[in-house]
Amino acid sequence: MASLTARLRGEPRLQAGLKDAVDRLKRTRDAHDVIEVSGGPPGGGPDRVKCLHAHVAHELADPPNPIGALTLAETGWPDCRIPCFSMSADERDDG
């Protein structure tokens, strides 16, 4: 979280992407149930990163969330929008 927070300070595009993601998350959440803000924005952003699990969940459920995407990439999570393997026509016919 500390290294991602440091990156936010030096990368305006990353910070803008996180701000957009947090704003979108709040709009979506509030469409279901308005939650009174008791502290910072969800996940800490756009100036500070905390709650990586929230960013990852948001990236998986409603991309893009740049902090969630960076976290998934760092952990080696596969991008299942791209096939993880390929099958030949013969293999597909055998299945």
Side-chain angles (χ1 to χ4, degrees):
M1 291 183 292
S3 65
L4 289 169
T5 296
R7 281 187 65 177
L8 284 175
R9 293 185 192 116
E11 298 181 34
R13 284 184 67 191
L14 180 62
Q15 190 174 37
L18 179 57
K19 181 184 182 323
D20 290 344
V22 168
D23 289 346
R24 197 175 73 256
L25 173 61
K26 287 192 293 190
R27 282 192 309 273
T28 302
R29 178 196 66 197
D30 289 349
H32 295 281
D33 190 14
V34 177
I35 297 174
E36 293 297 320
V37 177
S38 61
D47 299 320
R48 179 175 151 230
V49 176
K50 63 178 194 165
C51 302
L52 291 178
H53 64 286
H55 291 289
V56 167
H58 188 227
E59 170 65 12
L60 292 171
D62 185 26
N65 181 310
I67 298 302
L70 287 169
T71 303
L72 287 170
E74 183 68 24
T75 63
W77 185 269
D79 180 353
C80 295
R81 292 170 281 188
I82 300 169
C84 298
F85 65 93
S86 63
M87 295 175 72
S88 69
D90 291 336
E91 290 171 315
R92 285 191 299 270
D93 291 340
D94 289 342

